Amino acid sequence: MKLSDLRPAPGSHKTERRVGRGHGSGRGKTAGRGTKGQKARTGGHIHRAFEGGQTRLVKRLPFVRGLGNSNTPFRKEYAIIKIADLVRFDAASQVTPEQLVERKLLTPAQGRGLVKVLGNGEVDRALTVHAHKFSASARAKIEAAGGTVEIIPTKVYEKTKRSKNQDTKAPAGRAQGARE
């Protein structure tokens, strides 16, 4: 076998359509572009939002800032756990997101995210519950049963922009002199 013997698999390469090469080619005259009109011309491109002269959808919708953005990457979504689900744990045990994943109360993806405990149901044993957030009723029920609530800290990023109400401190003597 030689390099010159190599050929592509049959049917994997189609011959290029050569247009505008005269009548004998079978694609002469209009070269597959139809007859006249914007699309028959060179550079005849129609904008993708063009709706045939009708006022396009973007213009018909009300102008609302941030519409369709919904801040998905910045939104905090919590996986919800009910107090009633904590009955599956033994007394005096640690309840962590990893434990909740093992007991199939959360999916592995939810276990890596934020977890909030809500006060639906009753708890009758002392548990140490670790979560990112607790409702007031959930906290009260866990502590009433003799358990403890431990909040998992979330990473808080410092604000990069200066807020409008934050004043830049100028020396008092210069400010007085400037007003007089």
Side-chain angles (χ1 to χ4, degrees):
M1 174 166 241
K2 299 176 197 161
L3 282 175
S4 60
D5 294 340
L6 293 176
R7 294 278 177 269
S12 66
H13 285 281
K14 291 176 76 173
T15 52
E16 186 183 351
R17 175 185 292 182
R18 297 184 73 225
V19 293
R21 294 292 184 275
H23 292 291
S25 68
R27 296 191 195 282
K29 194 173 174 252
T30 55
R33 289 172 175 253
T35 309
K36 299 186 182 176
Q38 184 177 0
K39 291 192 285 186
R41 311 287 188 229
T42 305
H45 170 70
I46 296 174
H47 190 268
R48 62 191 160 108
F50 184 66
E51 296 183 19
Q54 167 180 293
T55 306
R56 59 186 194 260
L57 181 66
V58 174
K59 292 282 194 181
R60 293 196 302 263
L61 293 175
F63 179 74
V64 180
R65 257 177 226 289
L67 181 68
N69 178 8
S70 76
N71 291 328
T72 309
F74 306 107
R75 192 182 326 149
K76 290 182 180 177
E77 291 189 3
Y78 290 89
I80 302 299
I81 291 294
K82 299 174 186 173
I83 289 279
D85 297 333
L86 301 180
V87 178
R88 298 186 189 184
F89 292 91
D90 298 329
S93 62
Q94 302 275 332
V95 180
T96 62
E98 294 80 26
Q99 298 288 326
L100 294 168
V101 171
E102 285 177 19
R103 303 279 170 105
K104 307 277 189 206
L105 292 170
L106 293 177
T107 63
Q110 288 174 326
R112 289 188 297 273
L114 302 172
V115 178
K116 182 171 182 176
V117 180
L118 298 182
N120 299 8
E122 295 297 326
V123 65
D124 56 350
R125 55 197 73 162
L127 299 170
T128 304
V129 185
H130 299 264
H132 298 90
K133 252 189 183 178
F134 292 88
S135 68
S137 60
R139 183 185 294 265
K141 288 179 183 180
I142 291 170
E143 289 171 352
T148 56
V149 167
E150 299 223 1
I151 295 175
I152 302 170
T154 55
K155 190 164 186 174
V156 178
Y157 296 96
E158 291 184 26
K159 291 193 174 187
T160 54
K161 287 188 176 179
R162 194 178 331 155
S163 61
K164 290 181 182 177
N165 60 3
Q166 184 180 7
D167 295 336
T168 54
K169 302 274 181 175
R174 293 171 106 192
Q176 292 290 333
R179 286 188 195 140
E180 293 173 358

